[in-house]
């Protein structure tokens, strides 16, 4: 999405782009400066404010649209900051700039871990506990409208997409793998090359269902049934499709629908879908998913090799689905 080549970035190749490196370690929420008591500074929320101030003098003041985009912690950062950026620009007198968000791989669930572990580091810490602790270090800021939904001390809820999204005023496009590797890691499902136990396999499938469920009321979304993490900064971002539509095409449709609705409040554009969520039930059941590699040998695997590697029992699954095993294998290979 940062490419200036039309073939790599069909819709926004000629946009003005500013890349803000993630150096604040606070999910872009912090407002805590270094002091005698705190030896670290966490200033993510303030960094974004300062960047906006600086850009106004470099041409942002004449922009029609500002798209705040981010991946992983940056995706969550978009959800936390998009309305604040819009308010900041309004206060500066730039009401004409439409602010929008694009959150990639930052829509995490505060679900039950597969195995509960004590919170000794970021990897073993359950998502809610990590944010609860982090927000105190960072002096984390969450949007006022979301904060009001929760009791004092419960602001950590606003770091989870499905809880903050209904409170947002700015339009946001959510991109999320149904089987996000970072989510599985914090949930203590480690795919280490050992066959997956049945409990893990059921947990992974259930994660996909839960995630799909949280996206059902998200107007603009793109959620492929793949095991991966981050997409908009990867060179395969144009190849992945959901129901025959690629992500750049879906973003183009979203852009058009926002322009149209500003004009006359029309319904979504015909033949231009923006709510795209895979309905097939397991990782990589979408044939356009990025290539999977064996973590140990680095060799590429096809979907059937991957599922066998995951401990997928073809006989048993075929029985559950009421199919012949050969029919199920055929469906898996073609991605149906």
């Amino acid at each position: 999405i940062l490419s200036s080549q039309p073939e790599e970035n069909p819709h926004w190749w000629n946009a003005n782009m500013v890349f803000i490196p993630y150096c604040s370690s606070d999910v872009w929420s912090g407002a805590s400066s270094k002091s005698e008591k705190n030896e670290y500074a966490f200033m993510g929320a303030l960094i974004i404010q300062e960047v906006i101030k600086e850009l106004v003098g470099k041409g942002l003041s004449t922009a029609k649209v500002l798209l705040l985009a981010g991946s992983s912690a940056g995706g969550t950062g978009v959800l936390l900051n998009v309305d604040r950026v819009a308010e900041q620009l309004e206060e500066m007198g730039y009401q004409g700039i439409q602010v929008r968000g694009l959150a990639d791989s930052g829509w995490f669930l505060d679900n039950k871990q597969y195995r509960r572990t004590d919170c000794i580091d970021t990897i073993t810490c359950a998502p809610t506990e990590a944010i609860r602790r982090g927000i105190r270090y960072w002096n984390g800021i969450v949007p006022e409208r979301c904060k009001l939904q929760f009791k004092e001390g419960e602001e950590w809820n606003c770091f989870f997409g499905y809880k903050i999204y209904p409170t947002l005023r700015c339009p946001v496009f959510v991109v999320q793998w149904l089987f996000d590797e970072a989510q599985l890691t914090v949930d203590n499902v480690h795919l280490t090359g050992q066959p997956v136990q049945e409990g893990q396999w059921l947990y992974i499938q259930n994660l996909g269902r839960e995630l799909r469920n949280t996206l059902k009321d998200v107007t603009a979304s793109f959620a492929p049934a793949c095991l991966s993490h981050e997409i908009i900064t990867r060179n395969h971002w144009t190849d992945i499709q959901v129901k025959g539509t690629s992500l750049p095409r879906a973003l183009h449709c979203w852009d058009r629908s926002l322009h149209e609705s500003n004009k006359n409040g029309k319904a979504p554009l015909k033949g231009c879908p923006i709510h795209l969520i895979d309905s097939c039930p397991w990782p990589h059941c979408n044939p356009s998913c990025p290539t999977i590699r064996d973590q140990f040998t680095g060799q590429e695997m096809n979907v059937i090799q991957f599922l066998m590697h995951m401990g997928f029992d073809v006989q048993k699954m075929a029985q559950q689905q009421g199919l012949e095993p050969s029919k199920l294998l055929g469906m898996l290979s073609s991605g149906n």
Side-chain angles (χ1 to χ4, degrees), residues 213-230:
N213 216 12
T214 63
L215 291 171
K216 65 177 190 299
D217 297 325
V218 175
T219 315
S221 47
F222 186 86
C226 310
L227 179 74
S228 197
H229 183 59
E230 302 189 343

Side-chain angles (χ1 to χ4, degrees), residues 191-206:
L191 307 172
T192 54
Q194 300 301 312
V196 170
Q197 298 155 342
E198 189 174 16
Q200 280 180 307
W201 178 245
L202 293 172
Y203 183 92
I204 291 167
Q205 284 179 279
N206 191 51

Side-chain angles (χ1 to χ4, degrees), residues 72-85:
S72 197
T76 312
V78 166
L79 299 168
L80 289 168
N81 286 281
V82 67
D83 280 0
R84 287 183 51 247
V85 167

